[in-house]
Amino acid sequence: MELTAKLVNLQKHYDLGTVVVKALRGVSLDIPSGDFLAIMGSSGSGKSTMLNLLGGLDRPTSGEYYLRGQNVALLSDDELSAIRNGLIGFIFQSFNLVAQYSVLENIAVPLLYRPGYPPVSSEDEDRCNEMAKMVGLGDRTDHRPYQLSGGQQQRVAIARALINDPAIIMADEPTGNLDSKTGEEILGMLTMLNQEGRTIIMVTHEDEVAEKAKNQIFMRDGLIAGTGIFKG
Amino acid sequence: MYHLFRTIRLAVKSLLLHKLRSGLTMLGIVFGVFSVIAMLAIGEGASKQAQEQVLLLGANNIIVVSKKPPEDSGSSGSGGSVLRYGLTHEDFLILDRTVPRLEGIVPVREVVLNVRNRDHEMNSRIVGCTTEYQEMNHLELSMGRFLSEQDLVNLTNVVVIASETAESLFPLENPLNKSVQIGNRAYRVIGVTKERTASAAIGGSLSGQDYNKDIYMPLDTFQSRINTKNIIVKRGQGAFSAVSVVYDQITLKIDHPKIVDEPEIIIATAEMVRETMDAKHAVARDVDVIVPLELLKQAEQLRNIFNVVLGSIAGISLLVGGIGIMNIMLATVTERTREIGVRRALGARRIDITQQFLIETIVLSGIGGLVGMGLGLTTPAAFEAIKYVVTNYILESGGATSEMTNMFLTMTPQIAIWSLPVAFGFSVLTGLVFGVYPARSAARLDPIEALRHE
Ligand SMILES: Nc1ncnc2c1ncn2[C@@H]1O[C@H](COP(=O)(O)OP(=O)(O)O)[C@@H](O)[C@H]1O
Ligand SMILES: [Mg+2]
């Protein structure tokens, strides 16, 4: 089975001067391609830290991380940026849309940072429109984020994450700021994207959310405390 | 091209996030650019005015003037005695004989006297001159003719009067062939000159000439009818004093068509004239040699100094504008830390973040520059408004005005076309220079820290 990610004794420490916070204290994990993994655990257990490392936003203090067989430690800052741009799509708890941009412009942000900076073509623009339609916002492409509900904003974020057709989607508590019905819709979308063949890695502390994933791991104090298929 | 347009449009959107703040920040640049253009326009206008006035004296001319000798030079006498000084007929003959390439030589005698036409009267400058005077002083006629050789030879009692003289003395009638009375003699008007811009006053030795209140008459008519015995009695400071001067001025015109390329010839000739005059007048110090071309050079130097000084002052306001921009962009970066984190997560490299904020700063200062350019173009109109206010509310009507005030009132700012792109370029450069630090501090942010920023 092909591996999307392989973690070997991964550690992440935050040196705060007076104390050193050990957010991850040695995590080893294989994530196969096409997985839908839920990272669970209570607040402060190291879930986000782990997702950030997986997403190439941060570098581990020690241990190794192979992303599709590549040792991330050997990659430059710009190479990591390129990976985040093309291989990974990010979805955040608080949506994180660019406030001054319209729906369409938000969806197009990852297009601005493609390697080699190809100009945004009219096909690209068509694709942004399609993407907006796909997440059910085809009639709201000109709206600004503040004119949208939380659920709608998160849909825009999903469309944005998908615009460069990434193989991996990383979502940090994507339903955390949504009511349960809207949350379910978002989860439905992630499930669909997983069925298309994309690898989904999602952080959540809610059982009802985690049970939609194929696999779950439980974090406690910077370590994986348990793994396994959720017993629904 | 389209790519650039998109980049600018997105930058504008970000700037519109805080319209008022961006607008106020921009004002710094707007006024910076405006003042650069305005200052240079005023400098240019002043120097053009000076140049024009000097050129009216004639770039090919060398002007020799009589001046009242300083009190201590011994030849002065006051309270009744006759003061003799200045250019003599002998000087005229020497100059006429010795100066090479002489195209024309005009001796001039002048005096201000009361002139009348029945009950209309005024004080007018009576100029005794030859026919060449017209060409040398760029006088154009609105009617009639100028003095002719015939008039000079025959000592006819004719005059040519200037535009304002004509208006004052003949408000309702055509002055041609009417007569004006000077002293107890009448002179027939044979021509009227058009209005002419005044020429520059030159450092005490040549006073600014109005020309519009003049009366021109044949030199020999002047010498025999008005200046009998070369003595003119003037009332000065209570006592009568008499002065005796043969010529007030002798203007030499040098034949030299390539004046701009080879000014040395005029300068060298002028040097020669100076030496000739010094030989006779060095002791009395009663003659000055004025070379408009030299004055022109001085005027050009003055302009350069003006431009540097005014440009520096304006540059400082651009600098202040730049600091304002930097301040605001630093605040913007702090405020938009989260956005920076998001962009990094979506694949932006550090250089992309630097570029984005740099472009925003440049767009901000560039728009400010454009607005400033627009404002700068209104400089002449604004200057007119200021002149209006000054003449109507500050200067007392009819009161005497100083040389400075006159210069100000007759000056029109000249927008130097080159100053527009230069000022705009400087505004963009200001954005670039003062945008680098905020943009780089934005790019240096750690993506995770930025994303965690509230
Ligand atoms: N940038 C940071 N600097 C210092 N401490 C951090 C930082 N990020 C996370 N931590 C600490 O690491 C631990 C794990 O945090 P996190 O991964 O965010 O937990 P979770 O997402 O599971 O709530 C917490 O104790 C948190 O305070
Ligand atoms: Mg978290």
Side-chain angles (χ1 to χ4, degrees), chain B residues 74-357:
Chain B
S75 60
S76 77
S78 57
S81 73
V82 172
L83 173 62
R84 284 175 203 281
Y85 67 88
L87 294 161
T88 60
H89 191 64
E90 199 191 340
D91 291 328
F92 172 79
L93 293 175
I94 291 177
L95 288 173
D96 193 22
R97 250 196 350 259
T98 57
V99 175
R101 293 170 181 253
L102 199 58
E103 189 186 316
I105 178 163
V106 181
V108 171
R109 183 73 187 94
E110 61 176 57
V111 66
V112 175
L113 287 176
N114 186 269
V115 185
R116 292 196 297 138
N117 166 35
R118 282 185 294 253
D119 46 352
H120 300 292
E121 65 176 309
M122 70 180 294
N123 283 329
S124 176
R125 184 173 73 129
I126 319 291
V127 182
C129 57
T130 60
T131 52
E132 287 144 313
Y133 187 87
Q134 180 191 6
E135 197 214 319
M136 277 194 193
N137 289 286
H138 310 274
L139 295 173
E140 288 178 48
L141 290 169
S142 60
M143 57 177 86
R145 60 172 179 85
F146 200 73
L147 308 172
S148 69
E149 292 296 339
Q150 237 26 54
D151 296 326
L152 279 152
V153 175
N154 299 339
L155 272 70
T156 50
N157 285 343
V158 294
V159 289
V160 173
I161 63 178
S163 56
E164 270 182 52
T165 316
E167 269 167 44
S168 306
L169 297 181
F170 302 93
L172 298 171
E173 35 185 347
N174 182 337
L176 270 193
N177 294 320
K178 302 272 162 30
S179 64
V180 293
Q181 206 178 337
I182 304 170
N184 46 19
R185 283 174 211 270
Y187 300 83
R188 187 165 59 91
V189 177
I190 56 165
V192 179
T193 61
K194 280 186 188 161
E195 208 172 299
R196 178 202 191 277
T197 355
S199 70
I202 287 134
S205 37
L206 194 60
S207 53
Q209 286 182 5
D210 190 345
Y211 288 100
N212 292 325
K213 289 176 183 159
D214 285 354
I215 291 182
Y216 308 103
M217 82 170 51
L219 181 63
D220 292 340
T221 309
F222 186 106
Q223 301 285 35
S224 61
R225 303 282 192 296
I226 294 186
N227 195 25
T228 28
K229 293 194 212 100
N230 294 336
I231 292 173
I232 287 160
V233 177
K234 276 187 186 168
R235 185 197 286 275
Q237 301 265 307
F240 281 99
S241 73
V243 293
S244 168
V245 179
V246 178
Y247 297 127
D248 290 280
Q249 183 178 320
I250 297 174
T251 306
L252 306 164
K253 184 167 189 179
I254 310 302
D255 176 25
H256 181 40
K258 288 192 289 179
I259 188 76
V260 182
D261 301 326
E262 295 170 4
E264 304 82 24
I265 295 196
I266 302 284
I267 305 286
T269 312
E271 222 24 71
M272 203 215 102
V273 171
R274 276 205 181 99
E275 277 165 24
T276 313
M277 288 296 103
D278 270 355
K280 284 189 63 200
H281 297 273
V283 179
R285 282 185 279 160
D286 55 355
V287 164
D288 249 355
V289 177
I290 293 156
V291 188
L293 198 68
E294 288 176 353
L295 298 170
L296 199 63
K297 286 195 151 177
Q298 286 170 17
E300 263 160 30
Q301 269 176 8
L302 197 67
R303 172 182 60 177
N304 291 340
I305 294 171
F306 242 60
N307 278 354
V308 169
V309 171
L310 295 180
S312 309
I313 293 170
I316 288 170
S317 56
L318 256 183
L319 185 76
V320 172
I323 293 169
I325 281 202
M326 178 144 106
N327 190 16
I328 288 301
M329 288 315 287
L330 282 172
T332 300
V333 167
T334 309
E335 235 175 48
R336 287 162 64 193
T337 299
R338 176 78 83 108
E339 179 194 321
I340 294 163
V342 173
R343 287 179 187 268
R344 294 282 275 134
L346 298 177
R349 304 165 181 209
R350 288 185 194 279
I351 186 81
D352 297 325
I353 301 296
T354 307
Q355 215 180 53
Q356 180 197 337
F357 281 93

Side-chain angles (χ1 to χ4, degrees), chain B residues 371-408:
Chain B
V371 175
M373 259 166 70
L375 266 186
L377 289 174
T378 68
T379 306
F383 198 81
E384 282 310 309
I386 293 171
K387 270 200 233 172
Y388 178 83
V389 171
V390 169
T391 38
N392 286 290
Y393 300 103
I394 296 179
L395 296 178
E396 287 166 38
S397 59
T401 52
S402 70
E403 209 57 70
M404 257 318 256
T405 319
N406 263 335
M407 182 173 154
F408 167 79

